[in-house]
Amino acid sequence: MRISGFSIKKWSFKKFLSEGNYWFWTNKAVFIYEKGDLFHPPIDLNILLKENEIVEALMIIEVADNEIAIQFEDKRFKTILTAGRYAFWKGVKNYTFTKADLSNIEIDATIDTQLMTNKFMAYVRPYTIESFEKALLIVDGKFERILEGRNLLLVEK
C-alpha cells in the first residue's frame, strides 16, 4: 500500500509529501491518503490543482450533468459516478472510465449491456419487443419512431 500526503498551512498548499518520516511545527496540518483511492480534498480542489505536483499525482474525471461515468478497475466494473468532479490518485490502481450521455434515448453501443445490473436500473429501463411485435417510442409526449422486435435498454428520463 503506497501512501501520499501533503501539508497545509492557513488552508493553502505548502508541500507534497512522499513516503517517509517528517517533522512539522504544530501550525501545519498534514493530510495522508492511500494512493489509488478516491481523493477527498480538505480544501477546494481548484486550489490544489494549481500545484503541478498535485496535478501530476491525480487523475481528474469530470462528469457533466447529463452524464454518468462507469468506473472500471483492472477492466472490471467498480461503480457509477454521477455529475461532478472526481480525483483519483494515479499509479497504484488501474482505473478506466466510460462516459454515457443520459440525454440520448438509447444506450451507446460501446457500453456493454452485460453491465446492466441493479446499479444501472436507476438510469435505464429495459424493454423486450418480440419478433412479431412493434412498439411506439414516445418521448415527452411526442412520437419518436417505431421499434421493431428486439431487446432494448432505454435511458430513464
Side-chain angles (χ1 to χ4, degrees):
M1 168 182 343
R2 297 208 172 157
I3 304 220
S4 195
F6 52 87
S7 64
I8 292 179
K9 183 177 181 183
K10 294 186 181 177
W11 297 108
S12 64
F13 174 82
K14 292 298 175 195
K15 182 178 180 181
F16 189 78
L17 307 172
S18 57
E19 294 179 43
N21 295 318
Y22 299 88
W23 292 85
F24 292 101
W25 297 109
T26 59
N27 62 349
K28 288 189 181 176
V30 175
F31 298 89
I32 300 172
Y33 299 91
E34 284 188 37
K35 284 187 175 179
D37 289 343
L38 179 63
F39 173 60
H40 297 284
I43 61 175
D44 187 341
L45 183 59
N46 291 320
I47 294 169
L48 293 175
L49 291 177
K50 292 179 181 177
E51 303 297 328
N52 287 336
E53 288 179 293
I54 298 291
V55 170
E56 290 174 13
L58 295 175
M59 176 183 355
I60 307 298
I61 305 301
E62 301 269 356
V63 183
D65 289 338
N66 63 322
E67 295 178 323
I68 59 172
I70 306 165
Q71 180 184 13
F72 298 90
E73 181 180 331
D74 296 324
K75 299 182 182 180
R76 290 186 303 273
F77 172 76
K78 176 129 176 103
T79 193
I80 297 172
L81 303 175
T82 57
R85 178 191 262 178
Y86 300 86
F88 294 88
W89 292 103
K90 291 181 185 174
V92 175
K93 296 181 180 176
N94 183 23
Y95 288 132
T96 55
F97 300 87
T98 301
K99 289 186 180 178
D101 186 349
L102 298 179
S103 62
N104 292 335
I105 298 295
E106 290 192 57
I107 295 173
D108 189 305
T110 61
I111 297 174
D112 183 2
T113 57
Q114 297 301 314
L115 292 174
M116 301 301 151
T117 63
N118 290 339
K119 292 184 181 189
F120 281 84
M121 287 303 123
Y123 307 101
V124 299
R125 188 181 299 178
Y127 293 95
T128 301
I129 302 167
E130 299 297 336
S131 60
F132 55 87
E133 296 177 321
K134 291 186 179 187
L136 301 178
L137 178 60
I138 298 174
V139 178
D140 295 331
K142 291 182 175 181
F143 170 77
E144 287 287 318
R145 67 181 182 270
I146 295 175
L147 303 173
E148 302 289 331
R150 63 185 175 122
N151 290 330
L152 292 174
L153 290 169
L154 300 176
V155 173
E156 185 71 40
K157 295 275 184 177

